[in-house]
Amino acid sequence: MSKKIQSALISVYYKDGLEPLVRLLHTNGVKLYSTGGTQTFIENLNIPVTAAEELTGYPSIFGGRVKTLHPAIMGGILYRRDDEGDVAQAAQYNIPAIDMVIVDLYPFEETVASGASEEDIIEKIDIGGISLIRATAKNFKDTLIVSSREQYAEVVELLTAKAGTTDLEDRRYYAGQAFGVSSHYDGAINRFFTADKTITDKALFDFTSLQSQTLRYGENPHQNATYYGDLEGIFEKLHGKELSYNNLVDVDACVNLIDEFQDAQPTFAIIKHTNACGIATAATAKAAYDNALACDPVSAFGGVVITNAKVDLATAEELNKLFMEILIAPEYEEEALQLLKSKKNRILLKRNTVELPQIMFKTILNGVLVQDKDLSTEVASQYTTVTEKAPTEQELTAMEFALKVCKHTKSNTIVLAKENQLLASGTGQTSRVDALRQAIEKANAFGFDLNGAVMASDAFFPFADCVEIAHKAGITAVVQPGGSIRDKDSVAYCDANGLSMVTTGIRHFKH
């Protein structure tokens, strides 16, 4: 199924990178057809080209809306070379074979992003180009489709190596790429027309995005992985190796957690396997980092660190002592940056101000789950005190801090906090009692005094056992969603032992 390219239709919006491919086709004796500006571009290279109008007998009409939509062109692409009837009809109607099509699409997304008028946006919905792409890709047994300027260099390499011929596998590959281009393009148009609709209408999992990068591997070396999205739009990479799949998962957890503290004093969080092993807020960046690291310096090894504050030299000197995979900050002092670059593989990211999606996707079974992002963050004014004793102002502040961490920690989770510092958390346990015991054990292991600390839970307490265990460890105040049919048991224990408890009415499971 090897075929030599003898004719090609070229009709592109962007001309950059096109010249080497056009010259190669000409050198190989390929007859060229073209339209409008592309025709002029080829003629300026002193390469012969036939206007598409000579095939169709029609000029470009309706302001350029119709140029290539004609049987002489679409038929030349679509007729099957091994079908006697198709071959006979092509001869009967004098339709020449078109073996290759090079086409890109009007810049619809760029036009939308520019803030152009709706009239201008509509005119950038490509009709002829998308039809050429689909037709050529459909007839991949006979035709080669080049659907993106990003493919020009590799196609030049391919045709040079194979002396102007392609194999069936080549043509099938580029057909698949082409349908990815058309799918992404139609998805962008759909999003434009449904931007004011409900989540169900607009939550399109657009894995065909042209902005993608192949990762070294997935969660484990035997798994392939690709990231689809605009990382450069979110971060400026200042130093270090390439981000891995696991790095990106942790970075996502970091960003979502630190965003809870955007309006707070300097805050540092250290993430390990998507959970916070340390987080603290303080008057200075250095104090915040020192307090965050103190939470669990063992787990912090090899973690991902993020802050809402500018990294100064004093803070960088402490950070530089830790082996960490990634550091993310909105700003770096130049001296701090140079010091942190002393570790070759350490990834340093400067975070840009970018609005993140408010919907989430998760693949399960043979489908995809879509849900709203958890945007609820309860503050003291929303709490309901359910015990005889009300929490102090200091305890309320600690509750707010603990809940923010709790919300971004895997369930079942318990978070223990005091004075804007995480003391310990129990994460991802199958029992809430186990989560609490894990948190207490870790707090004790790192020398924290739990007397006067608060406890936050991501879901209600089905029994009074957790508040009893917490009380015996020194906890004095509890914040939880409430809603258990046995809430009264936990409240009664608190009242009998001088603890305060508030409920929020909002659960924060994270699976």
Side-chain angles (χ1 to χ4, degrees), residues 362-374:
K362 185 175 185 178
T363 59
I364 61 130
L365 303 174
N366 63 347
V368 178
L369 290 171
V370 183
Q371 68 169 348
D372 294 325
K373 194 172 183 179
D374 185 357

Side-chain angles (χ1 to χ4, degrees), residues 63-86:
R65 281 189 166 198
V66 180
K67 289 180 286 193
T68 57
L69 296 174
H70 190 278
I73 291 178
M74 302 305 288
I77 294 169
L78 281 164
Y79 87 82
R80 292 158 290 192
R81 278 57 161 176
D82 59 354
D83 185 290
E84 292 183 4
D86 284 10

Side-chain angles (χ1 to χ4, degrees), residues 12 14-18 21 102-105 109-110 145-157 173-174 177 180-181 184 208-213 228-229 232:
V12 298
Y14 295 107
K15 314 302 187 293
D16 46 310
L18 181 62
L21 182 52
I102 304 171
V103 63
D104 62 8
L105 300 171
E109 289 178 279
E110 292 89 336
I145 177 64
V146 180
S147 56
S148 168
R149 54 183 165 163
E150 296 178 1
Q151 298 169 349
Y152 294 166
E154 64 187 53
V155 172
V156 167
E157 186 177 341
Y173 168 78
Y174 283 102
Q177 295 295 304
V181 168
H184 173 76
T208 63
S209 170
L210 295 179
Q211 293 177 301
S212 66
Q213 65 183 76
Y228 294 92
E232 292 182 359

Side-chain angles (χ1 to χ4, degrees), residues 30 49 56 60 67 105 113 121 135 154 157 160 166 182 264 310 363 402-403 418 441 454 457 469 488:
V30 176
V49 59
T56 65
S60 173
K67 289 180 286 193
L105 300 171
I121 291 170
E154 64 187 53
E157 186 177 341
T160 300
T166 60
S182 67
K310 184 176 185 177
T363 59
L403 268 185
K418 187 195 294 186
E441 183 179 343
V454 305
S457 175
I469 295 168
K488 62 181 183 300

Side-chain angles (χ1 to χ4, degrees), residues 353-429:
T353 302
V354 176
E355 184 177 353
L356 298 177
Q358 296 188 3
I359 52 175
M360 301 174 66
F361 299 91
K362 185 175 185 178
T363 59
I364 61 130
L365 303 174
N366 63 347
V368 178
L369 290 171
V370 183
Q371 68 169 348
D372 294 325
K373 194 172 183 179
D374 185 357
L375 299 175
S376 179
T377 302
E378 298 78 51
V379 295
S381 61
Q382 298 170 292
Y383 300 165
T384 299
T385 301
V386 292
T387 51
E388 294 173 357
K389 182 179 179 182
T392 65
E393 287 299 317
Q394 187 175 16
E395 288 171 335
L396 287 172
T397 299
M399 286 177 176
E400 289 183 340
F401 180 92
L403 268 185
K404 291 175 181 178
V405 180
C406 195
K407 171 182 167 181
H408 295 278
T409 306
K410 292 294 181 69
S411 300
N412 286 317
T413 187
I414 293 290
V415 169
L416 308 180
K418 187 195 294 186
E419 297 176 359
N420 288 323
Q421 181 184 27
L422 172 67
L423 304 184
S425 60
T427 65
Q429 299 302 304

